[in-house]
Amino acid sequence: NPSRSLWVCRFYDEDVLKNKLRDIEDHARDLRQLICETIPQRLEACGVDLGPERRDYRVILVAHSMGGLVCRTLIQNILPADNKEPKAWIHRLVTMGTPHKGIELGRIPDFLERAVMRGINPYNANIFEEKRMREYLKLPKGCEPHSLGEESGPLAFPVKRCFCLIGSDYESYGAVQHVTGSFSDGL
């Protein structure tokens, strides 16, 4: 039954193949194209009736780790920028082990952490800094990084449609726990 299909979006594959790191917004745009164009077109080509103007079509996003931030960027930034209502395209959002508050390198002094992230920026790791998260999630001032932002209005996504599985205890990360500390959101 093509209307009950599973699609996998591995956003790092293109980066690895082209040996180029892209911004999280680029990954979210790729996800938008998959959800809003590719999947519905292929389903319709298989004879699936998506209703008038595709009103019966919605996806459930299941994301691991950084994939949850890509999905949130889609919901909070990319779809609204395209004047698309996220809840019209996405039925549910499930995240597993997503660092919704970023990753705090608790045992490393903040000045050193900022210098490394801004200077060297290994593997585009600054996406886990609060300032960068606020940019790509389009968070208003005073709104917590793990928030979906404004919950009212036509382009808001309801929190009740989200499920966040935090993941394992930081102590299970082995030696990494000595760098991140006990207050990190995850890895």
Side-chain angles (χ1 to χ4, degrees), residues 23-29 31-32 61 66-81 86 90 93 100 127 132-133 135-138 148:
D23 286 332
I24 196 164
E25 294 93 340
D26 294 327
H27 296 299
R29 282 186 206 91
L31 185 58
R32 186 207 57 80
L61 297 174
M66 186 181 144
L69 297 177
V70 172
C71 291
R72 285 187 56 204
T73 303
L74 172 74
I75 291 169
Q76 294 174 244
N77 178 345
I78 303 302
L79 288 175
I90 300 161
L93 169 64
H100 291 289
I127 63 166
R132 179 68 177 110
M133 289 179 80
E135 291 172 5
Y136 63 76
L137 295 175
K138 299 294 184 199
L148 284 173

mmCIF file of all heavy atoms in Angstrom, residues 23-29 31-32 61 66-81 86 90 93 100 127 132-133 135-138 148:
data_model
loop_
_atom_site.group_PDB
_atom_site.id
_atom_site.type_symbol
_atom_site.label_atom_id
_atom_site.label_comp_id
_atom_site.label_asym_id
_atom_site.label_seq_id
_atom_site.Cartn_x
_atom_site.Cartn_y
_atom_site.Cartn_z
ATOM 1 N N ASP A 23 24.645 24.019 5.458
ATOM 2 C CA ASP A 23 23.950 24.533 6.625
ATOM 3 C C ASP A 23 22.722 23.687 6.935
ATOM 4 O O ASP A 23 22.152 23.036 6.058
ATOM 5 C CB ASP A 23 23.498 25.982 6.385
ATOM 6 C CG ASP A 23 24.651 26.965 6.440
ATOM 7 O OD1 ASP A 23 25.635 26.670 7.141
ATOM 8 O OD2 ASP A 23 24.553 28.025 5.794
ATOM 9 N N ILE A 24 22.275 23.763 8.166
ATOM 10 C CA ILE A 24 21.099 23.026 8.600
ATOM 11 C C ILE A 24 19.861 23.473 7.809
ATOM 12 O O ILE A 24 18.974 22.674 7.505
ATOM 13 C CB ILE A 24 20.891 23.150 10.127
ATOM 14 C CG1 ILE A 24 19.914 22.081 10.611
ATOM 15 C CG2 ILE A 24 20.508 24.551 10.530
ATOM 16 C CD1 ILE A 24 19.937 21.886 12.106
ATOM 17 N N GLU A 25 19.820 24.738 7.422
ATOM 18 C CA GLU A 25 18.698 25.226 6.603
ATOM 19 C C GLU A 25 18.660 24.515 5.260
ATOM 20 O O GLU A 25 17.578 24.239 4.727
ATOM 21 C CB GLU A 25 18.791 26.743 6.391
ATOM 22 C CG GLU A 25 18.629 27.562 7.651
ATOM 23 C CD GLU A 25 19.937 27.913 8.342
ATOM 24 O OE1 GLU A 25 20.972 27.248 8.096
ATOM 25 O OE2 GLU A 25 19.940 28.860 9.140
ATOM 26 N N ASP A 26 19.835 24.216 4.678
ATOM 27 C CA ASP A 26 19.874 23.485 3.401
ATOM 28 C C ASP A 26 19.293 22.086 3.563
ATOM 29 O O ASP A 26 18.557 21.608 2.705
ATOM 30 C CB ASP A 26 21.313 23.381 2.880
ATOM 31 C CG ASP A 26 21.895 24.733 2.512
ATOM 32 O OD1 ASP A 26 21.128 25.620 2.061
ATOM 33 O OD2 ASP A 26 23.117 24.907 2.674
ATOM 34 N N HIS A 27 19.613 21.428 4.677
ATOM 35 C CA HIS A 27 19.068 20.100 4.933
ATOM 36 C C HIS A 27 17.548 20.171 5.102
ATOM 37 O O HIS A 27 16.818 19.312 4.612
ATOM 38 C CB HIS A 27 19.705 19.480 6.175
ATOM 39 C CG HIS A 27 21.175 19.243 6.032
ATOM 40 N ND1 HIS A 27 21.712 18.407 5.079
ATOM 41 C CD2 HIS A 27 22.220 19.733 6.729
ATOM 42 C CE1 HIS A 27 23.024 18.390 5.192
ATOM 43 N NE2 HIS A 27 23.361 19.185 6.183
ATOM 44 N N ALA A 28 17.073 21.209 5.776
ATOM 45 C CA ALA A 28 15.625 21.373 5.975
ATOM 46 C C ALA A 28 14.930 21.663 4.650
ATOM 47 O O ALA A 28 13.808 21.198 4.423
ATOM 48 C CB ALA A 28 15.355 22.479 6.988
ATOM 49 N N ARG A 29 15.586 22.396 3.753
ATOM 50 C CA ARG A 29 15.000 22.631 2.422
ATOM 51 C C ARG A 29 14.906 21.327 1.629
ATOM 52 O O ARG A 29 13.932 21.089 0.909
ATOM 53 C CB ARG A 29 15.822 23.669 1.652
ATOM 54 C CG ARG A 29 15.551 25.078 2.081
ATOM 55 C CD ARG A 29 16.271 26.105 1.183
ATOM 56 N NE ARG A 29 16.493 27.311 1.933
ATOM 57 C CZ ARG A 29 17.581 27.589 2.664
ATOM 58 N NH1 ARG A 29 18.585 26.750 2.715
ATOM 59 N NH2 ARG A 29 17.672 28.719 3.336
ATOM 60 N N LEU A 31 14.476 18.422 2.968
ATOM 61 C CA LEU A 31 13.363 17.709 3.586
ATOM 62 C C LEU A 31 12.032 18.286 3.110
ATOM 63 O O LEU A 31 11.083 17.547 2.854
ATOM 64 C CB LEU A 31 13.480 17.779 5.112
ATOM 65 C CG LEU A 31 12.458 16.994 5.922
ATOM 66 C CD1 LEU A 31 12.485 15.505 5.567
ATOM 67 C CD2 LEU A 31 12.711 17.186 7.414
ATOM 68 N N ARG A 32 11.949 19.609 2.971
ATOM 69 C CA ARG A 32 10.739 20.245 2.444
ATOM 70 C C ARG A 32 10.427 19.734 1.050
ATOM 71 O O ARG A 32 9.299 19.399 0.722
ATOM 72 C CB ARG A 32 10.860 21.773 2.426
ATOM 73 C CG ARG A 32 9.526 22.440 2.001
ATOM 74 C CD ARG A 32 9.694 23.802 1.343
ATOM 75 N NE ARG A 32 10.539 23.796 0.181
ATOM 76 C CZ ARG A 32 10.164 23.411 -1.050
ATOM 77 N NH1 ARG A 32 8.973 22.937 -1.273
ATOM 78 N NH2 ARG A 32 11.004 23.462 -2.052
ATOM 79 N N LEU A 61 7.018 12.614 10.978
ATOM 80 C CA LEU A 61 8.474 12.725 10.968
ATOM 81 C C LEU A 61 9.038 12.018 12.200
ATOM 82 O O LEU A 61 8.636 12.335 13.325
ATOM 83 C CB LEU A 61 8.908 14.192 10.983
ATOM 84 C CG LEU A 61 8.490 15.034 9.779
ATOM 85 C CD1 LEU A 61 8.861 16.504 10.017
ATOM 86 C CD2 LEU A 61 9.147 14.526 8.518
ATOM 87 N N MET A 66 20.537 15.020 15.338
ATOM 88 C CA MET A 66 20.473 16.275 14.601
ATOM 89 C C MET A 66 19.285 16.305 13.642
ATOM 90 O O MET A 66 18.793 17.372 13.287
ATOM 91 C CB MET A 66 21.767 16.491 13.832
ATOM 92 C CG MET A 66 21.844 17.837 13.154
ATOM 93 S SD MET A 66 23.383 17.983 12.257
ATOM 94 C CE MET A 66 22.852 18.921 10.860
ATOM 95 N N GLY A 67 18.795 15.151 13.247
ATOM 96 C CA GLY A 67 17.615 15.095 12.377
ATOM 97 C C GLY A 67 16.421 15.800 12.999
ATOM 98 O O GLY A 67 15.601 16.391 12.300
ATOM 99 N N GLY A 68 16.328 15.755 14.331
ATOM 100 C CA GLY A 68 15.254 16.477 15.010
ATOM 101 C C GLY A 68 15.384 17.978 14.841
ATOM 102 O O GLY A 68 14.384 18.689 14.685
ATOM 103 N N LEU A 69 16.620 18.475 14.835
ATOM 104 C CA LEU A 69 16.833 19.907 14.609
ATOM 105 C C LEU A 69 16.537 20.279 13.162
ATOM 106 O O LEU A 69 16.031 21.366 12.883
ATOM 107 C CB LEU A 69 18.255 20.303 14.999
ATOM 108 C CG LEU A 69 18.606 20.118 16.476
ATOM 109 C CD1 LEU A 69 20.076 20.469 16.725
ATOM 110 C CD2 LEU A 69 17.693 20.930 17.370
ATOM 111 N N VAL A 70 16.835 19.371 12.235
ATOM 112 C CA VAL A 70 16.493 19.605 10.823
ATOM 113 C C VAL A 70 14.976 19.695 10.688
ATOM 114 O O VAL A 70 14.449 20.602 10.020
ATOM 115 C CB VAL A 70 17.074 18.496 9.917
ATOM 116 C CG1 VAL A 70 16.547 18.629 8.499
ATOM 117 C CG2 VAL A 70 18.596 18.529 9.922
ATOM 118 N N CYS A 71 14.254 18.780 11.339
ATOM 119 C CA CYS A 71 12.788 18.789 11.278
ATOM 120 C C CYS A 71 12.221 20.055 11.906
ATOM 121 O O CYS A 71 11.287 20.663 11.369
ATOM 122 C CB CYS A 71 12.219 17.557 11.984
ATOM 123 S SG CYS A 71 12.542 16.015 11.108
ATOM 124 N N ARG A 72 12.779 20.471 13.038
ATOM 125 C CA ARG A 72 12.310 21.703 13.671
ATOM 126 C C ARG A 72 12.599 22.917 12.781
ATOM 127 O O ARG A 72 11.794 23.838 12.717
ATOM 128 C CB ARG A 72 12.970 21.886 15.035
ATOM 129 C CG ARG A 72 12.385 20.944 16.083
ATOM 130 C CD ARG A 72 12.912 21.225 17.454
ATOM 131 N NE ARG A 72 12.678 22.605 17.852
ATOM 132 C CZ ARG A 72 13.411 23.236 18.771
ATOM 133 N NH1 ARG A 72 14.411 22.627 19.374
ATOM 134 N NH2 ARG A 72 13.142 24.489 19.091
ATOM 135 N N THR A 73 13.724 22.914 12.093
ATOM 136 C CA THR A 73 14.037 24.012 11.173
ATOM 137 C C THR A 73 13.006 24.055 10.051
ATOM 138 O O THR A 73 12.552 25.129 9.648
ATOM 139 C CB THR A 73 15.465 23.861 10.610
ATOM 140 O OG1 THR A 73 16.384 23.820 11.697
ATOM 141 C CG2 THR A 73 15.825 25.002 9.680
ATOM 142 N N LEU A 74 12.624 22.883 9.567
ATOM 143 C CA LEU A 74 11.568 22.806 8.554
ATOM 144 C C LEU A 74 10.271 23.395 9.093
ATOM 145 O O LEU A 74 9.641 24.233 8.435
ATOM 146 C CB LEU A 74 11.361 21.342 8.140
ATOM 147 C CG LEU A 74 10.156 21.077 7.237
ATOM 148 C CD1 LEU A 74 10.439 21.568 5.829
ATOM 149 C CD2 LEU A 74 9.818 19.592 7.234
ATOM 150 N N ILE A 75 9.874 22.988 10.292
ATOM 151 C CA ILE A 75 8.597 23.384 10.880
ATOM 152 C C ILE A 75 8.584 24.853 11.291
ATOM 153 O O ILE A 75 7.591 25.556 11.079
ATOM 154 C CB ILE A 75 8.282 22.489 12.107
ATOM 155 C CG1 ILE A 75 7.973 21.068 11.645
ATOM 156 C CG2 ILE A 75 7.147 23.066 12.938
ATOM 157 C CD1 ILE A 75 7.910 20.044 12.774
ATOM 158 N N GLN A 76 9.669 25.346 11.863
ATOM 159 C CA GLN A 76 9.696 26.681 12.439
ATOM 160 C C GLN A 76 10.242 27.751 11.501
ATOM 161 O O GLN A 76 10.076 28.938 11.785
ATOM 162 C CB GLN A 76 10.527 26.674 13.732
ATOM 163 C CG GLN A 76 9.888 25.838 14.827
ATOM 164 C CD GLN A 76 10.766 25.696 16.045
ATOM 165 O OE1 GLN A 76 11.178 24.607 16.375
ATOM 166 N NE2 GLN A 76 11.060 26.808 16.716
ATOM 167 N N ASN A 77 10.880 27.349 10.407
ATOM 168 C CA ASN A 77 11.545 28.325 9.552
ATOM 169 C C ASN A 77 11.145 28.143 8.083
ATOM 170 O O ASN A 77 10.533 29.030 7.487
ATOM 171 C CB ASN A 77 13.066 28.182 9.729
ATOM 172 C CG ASN A 77 13.880 29.107 8.867
ATOM 173 O OD1 ASN A 77 13.375 29.696 7.916
ATOM 174 N ND2 ASN A 77 15.157 29.244 9.164
ATOM 175 N N ILE A 78 11.491 26.996 7.507
ATOM 176 C CA ILE A 78 11.375 26.807 6.057
ATOM 177 C C ILE A 78 9.927 26.808 5.569
ATOM 178 O O ILE A 78 9.589 27.535 4.639
ATOM 179 C CB ILE A 78 12.111 25.512 5.622
ATOM 180 C CG1 ILE A 78 13.584 25.550 6.057
ATOM 181 C CG2 ILE A 78 11.964 25.278 4.127
ATOM 182 C CD1 ILE A 78 14.403 26.700 5.532
ATOM 183 N N LEU A 79 9.059 26.006 6.183
ATOM 184 C CA LEU A 79 7.656 25.984 5.750
ATOM 185 C C LEU A 79 6.979 27.338 5.951
ATOM 186 O O LEU A 79 6.350 27.849 5.015
ATOM 187 C CB LEU A 79 6.882 24.855 6.449
ATOM 188 C CG LEU A 79 7.219 23.440 5.993
ATOM 189 C CD1 LEU A 79 6.474 22.405 6.846
ATOM 190 C CD2 LEU A 79 6.911 23.222 4.521
ATOM 191 N N PRO A 80 7.093 27.970 7.138
ATOM 192 C CA PRO A 80 6.483 29.293 7.284
ATOM 193 C C PRO A 80 7.036 30.326 6.301
ATOM 194 O O PRO A 80 6.286 31.174 5.813
ATOM 195 C CB PRO A 80 6.807 29.680 8.734
ATOM 196 C CG PRO A 80 6.953 28.382 9.439
ATOM 197 C CD PRO A 80 7.601 27.466 8.427
ATOM 198 N N ALA A 81 8.323 30.253 5.978
ATOM 199 C CA ALA A 81 8.905 31.191 5.005
ATOM 200 C C ALA A 81 8.290 31.006 3.621
ATOM 201 O O ALA A 81 8.225 31.946 2.834
ATOM 202 C CB ALA A 81 10.420 31.014 4.940
ATOM 203 N N PRO A 86 2.743 24.346 8.643
ATOM 204 C CA PRO A 86 3.373 23.074 9.009
ATOM 205 C C PRO A 86 2.392 21.973 9.386
ATOM 206 O O PRO A 86 2.557 20.824 8.987
ATOM 207 C CB PRO A 86 4.268 23.449 10.196
ATOM 208 C CG PRO A 86 4.576 24.893 9.982
ATOM 209 C CD PRO A 86 3.324 25.472 9.383
ATOM 210 N N ILE A 90 2.485 18.096 8.198
ATOM 211 C CA ILE A 90 3.087 17.175 9.169
ATOM 212 C C ILE A 90 2.041 16.801 10.219
ATOM 213 O O ILE A 90 1.476 17.677 10.886
ATOM 214 C CB ILE A 90 4.325 17.825 9.832
ATOM 215 C CG1 ILE A 90 5.349 18.154 8.749
ATOM 216 C CG2 ILE A 90 4.907 16.914 10.900
ATOM 217 C CD1 ILE A 90 6.365 19.166 9.153
ATOM 218 N N LEU A 93 5.505 14.868 14.961
ATOM 219 C CA LEU A 93 6.959 14.959 15.000
ATOM 220 C C LEU A 93 7.431 14.133 16.191
ATOM 221 O O LEU A 93 7.017 14.381 17.324
ATOM 222 C CB LEU A 93 7.432 16.403 15.157
ATOM 223 C CG LEU A 93 8.919 16.592 15.483
ATOM 224 C CD1 LEU A 93 9.798 16.080 14.340
ATOM 225 C CD2 LEU A 93 9.228 18.055 15.772
ATOM 226 N N HIS A 100 17.742 19.377 21.766
ATOM 227 C CA HIS A 100 16.869 20.540 21.573
ATOM 228 C C HIS A 100 17.387 21.807 22.237
ATOM 229 O O HIS A 100 17.023 22.900 21.828
ATOM 230 C CB HIS A 100 15.455 20.231 22.083
ATOM 231 C CG HIS A 100 14.740 19.226 21.264
ATOM 232 N ND1 HIS A 100 14.271 19.487 19.994
ATOM 233 C CD2 HIS A 100 14.416 17.934 21.524
ATOM 234 C CE1 HIS A 100 13.679 18.417 19.509
ATOM 235 N NE2 HIS A 100 13.750 17.453 20.414
ATOM 236 N N ILE A 127 26.130 24.645 15.067
ATOM 237 C CA ILE A 127 24.668 24.520 15.024
ATOM 238 C C ILE A 127 24.098 24.152 16.382
ATOM 239 O O ILE A 127 22.901 24.271 16.597
ATOM 240 C CB ILE A 127 24.189 23.492 13.973
ATOM 241 C CG1 ILE A 127 24.686 22.099 14.316
ATOM 242 C CG2 ILE A 127 24.562 23.916 12.584
ATOM 243 C CD1 ILE A 127 23.997 21.014 13.555
ATOM 244 N N ARG A 132 23.208 30.295 17.305
ATOM 245 C CA ARG A 132 22.961 29.743 15.960
ATOM 246 C C ARG A 132 21.605 29.047 15.899
ATOM 247 O O ARG A 132 20.887 29.152 14.920
ATOM 248 C CB ARG A 132 24.097 28.779 15.583
ATOM 249 C CG ARG A 132 23.930 28.130 14.232
ATOM 250 C CD ARG A 132 24.065 29.141 13.084
ATOM 251 N NE ARG A 132 23.964 28.445 11.825
ATOM 252 C CZ ARG A 132 22.927 28.554 10.988
ATOM 253 N NH1 ARG A 132 21.925 29.370 11.267
ATOM 254 N NH2 ARG A 132 22.887 27.870 9.870
ATOM 255 N N MET A 133 21.231 28.340 16.986
ATOM 256 C CA MET A 133 19.931 27.672 17.024
ATOM 257 C C MET A 133 18.801 28.689 16.892
ATOM 258 O O MET A 133 17.824 28.448 16.188
ATOM 259 C CB MET A 133 19.762 26.871 18.315
ATOM 260 C CG MET A 133 20.633 25.634 18.367
ATOM 261 S SD MET A 133 20.440 24.724 19.914
ATOM 262 C CE MET A 133 18.921 23.839 19.567
ATOM 263 N N GLU A 135 18.825 31.395 15.260
ATOM 264 C CA GLU A 135 18.755 31.834 13.863
ATOM 265 C C GLU A 135 17.977 30.840 13.018
ATOM 266 O O GLU A 135 17.039 31.208 12.322
ATOM 267 C CB GLU A 135 20.160 31.995 13.285
ATOM 268 C CG GLU A 135 20.954 33.137 13.847
ATOM 269 C CD GLU A 135 22.405 33.129 13.373
ATOM 270 O OE1 GLU A 135 22.780 32.282 12.536
ATOM 271 O OE2 GLU A 135 23.175 33.987 13.853
ATOM 272 N N TYR A 136 18.393 29.569 13.038
ATOM 273 C CA TYR A 136 17.757 28.625 12.120
ATOM 274 C C TYR A 136 16.394 28.145 12.593
ATOM 275 O O TYR A 136 15.600 27.664 11.792
ATOM 276 C CB TYR A 136 18.673 27.463 11.745
ATOM 277 C CG TYR A 136 19.127 26.520 12.839
ATOM 278 C CD1 TYR A 136 18.288 25.552 13.370
ATOM 279 C CD2 TYR A 136 20.432 26.566 13.301
ATOM 280 C CE1 TYR A 136 18.731 24.668 14.344
ATOM 281 C CE2 TYR A 136 20.888 25.688 14.277
ATOM 282 C CZ TYR A 136 20.029 24.739 14.787
ATOM 283 O OH TYR A 136 20.469 23.854 15.741
ATOM 284 N N LEU A 137 16.082 28.304 13.897
ATOM 285 C CA LEU A 137 14.753 27.938 14.385
ATOM 286 C C LEU A 137 13.806 29.141 14.416
ATOM 287 O O LEU A 137 12.638 29.002 14.757
ATOM 288 C CB LEU A 137 14.841 27.310 15.780
ATOM 289 C CG LEU A 137 15.566 25.978 15.851
ATOM 290 C CD1 LEU A 137 15.700 25.515 17.298
ATOM 291 C CD2 LEU A 137 14.861 24.922 15.011
ATOM 292 N N LYS A 138 14.329 30.314 14.076
ATOM 293 C CA LYS A 138 13.534 31.542 14.068
ATOM 294 C C LYS A 138 12.828 31.757 15.408
ATOM 295 O O LYS A 138 11.630 31.999 15.472
ATOM 296 C CB LYS A 138 12.501 31.528 12.929
ATOM 297 C CG LYS A 138 13.084 31.442 11.544
ATOM 298 C CD LYS A 138 13.861 32.690 11.219
ATOM 299 C CE LYS A 138 14.374 32.634 9.792
ATOM 300 N NZ LYS A 138 15.450 33.533 9.546
ATOM 301 N N LEU A 148 8.963 25.373 20.542
ATOM 302 C CA LEU A 148 8.523 25.460 19.150
ATOM 303 C C LEU A 148 8.193 26.892 18.771
ATOM 304 O O LEU A 148 7.702 27.150 17.697
ATOM 305 C CB LEU A 148 7.303 24.570 18.904
ATOM 306 C CG LEU A 148 7.600 23.082 18.801
ATOM 307 C CD1 LEU A 148 6.314 22.285 18.738
ATOM 308 C CD2 LEU A 148 8.475 22.761 17.606
#
